[in-house]
Amino acid sequence: MRLTTKGRFAVTAMIDLALRSNNGPVALAAISQRQQISLSYLEQLFGKLRRHELVESTRGPGGGYSLGRKAEEITVADIIVAVDEPIDATGCAGKENCMGDDAGRCMTHDLWASLNQKMIEYLDSISLKKLVDDQLAKGVSIEEAPIKRAISTVPVVKPIKVTAPNSVFALGSAMSK
């Protein structure tokens, strides 16, 4: 049994998201750039995470993703299961037909099934908050100001150039010229 890139990338992206969740929605493009993960791959993963309500999406300029639940309520097992990553060390995917449909289980089936249970228990015991706290303890730097978005919070004031006369007298003098 090995964890594929799907599970590893999903956990990494969720840690990145949780680290920056205080600054509002986080753009997948920013996570992609920081973690060196393909944007299209992240979009697929976050679609699955959203369907499992681990993340919420915000559309439009300034949009992105935020956590669907508190970081302490999300476990590594939740993330891995959400992206369809199998946590299974048995050769039969838990169907108990390791030796074929007629022969039944292999001699080591109980060993691998027990390992599956231990892996699930372990991954279920680690919260996203713990992983975030570990990163902060290691001194991971988080930019203070959020990445500039397309929409500014400060309105842009442009002076209006008036070309029309502002009174009847100005209109009269403009017509006489």
Side-chain angles (χ1 to χ4, degrees):
M1 208 273 340
R2 66 180 198 121
L3 190 61
T4 65
T5 55
K6 190 189 307 185
R8 287 189 287 119
F9 283 173
V11 173
T12 300
M14 287 292 285
I15 293 170
D16 188 293
L17 177 66
L19 280 166
R20 290 160 179 82
S21 62
N22 293 337
N23 293 335
V26 179
L28 285 185
I31 296 173
S32 171
Q33 187 177 27
R34 282 189 297 268
Q35 302 304 325
Q36 303 295 304
I37 302 171
S38 160
L39 180 58
S40 60
Y41 198 63
L42 278 177
E43 288 168 346
Q44 293 173 26
L45 292 176
F46 272 72
K48 292 177 180 185
L49 293 168
R50 188 176 46 78
R51 284 189 286 283
H52 282 83
E53 299 179 348
L54 297 180
V55 297
E56 295 174 344
S57 63
T58 304
R59 293 178 179 243
Y65 284 89
S66 51
L67 295 177
R69 302 192 304 239
K70 294 177 182 173
E72 51 270 4
E73 295 173 4
I74 299 173
T75 67
V76 175
D78 294 334
I79 298 167
I80 291 173
V81 169
V83 296
D84 300 329
E85 182 73 27
I87 304 174
D88 188 11
T90 63
C92 62
K95 296 177 187 169
E96 298 189 6
N97 61 351
C98 314
M99 302 295 290
D101 290 332
D102 298 334
R105 303 188 321 179
C106 66
M107 291 188 287
T108 57
H109 181 85
D110 292 334
L111 170 69
W112 304 128
S114 176
L115 177 61
N116 288 347
Q117 187 59 40
K118 297 292 183 192
M119 286 189 300
I120 291 168
E121 288 172 9
Y122 175 70
L123 295 175
D124 209 30
S125 72
I126 302 171
S127 71
L128 183 58
K129 173 128 177 58
K130 181 196 179 313
L131 296 175
V132 167
D133 290 343
D134 290 348
Q135 291 301 309
L136 292 173
K138 290 179 184 176
V140 170
S141 64
I142 304 167
E143 54 278 349
E144 290 297 319
I147 297 172
K148 290 205 173 210
R149 309 264 187 209
I151 294 182
S152 173
T153 57
V154 181
V156 177
V157 180
K158 294 182 180 176
I160 300 172
K161 183 179 178 186
V162 179
T163 57
N166 62 354
S167 70
V168 269
F169 300 111
L171 179 61
S173 63
M175 297 295 269
S176 65
K177 291 182 183 176

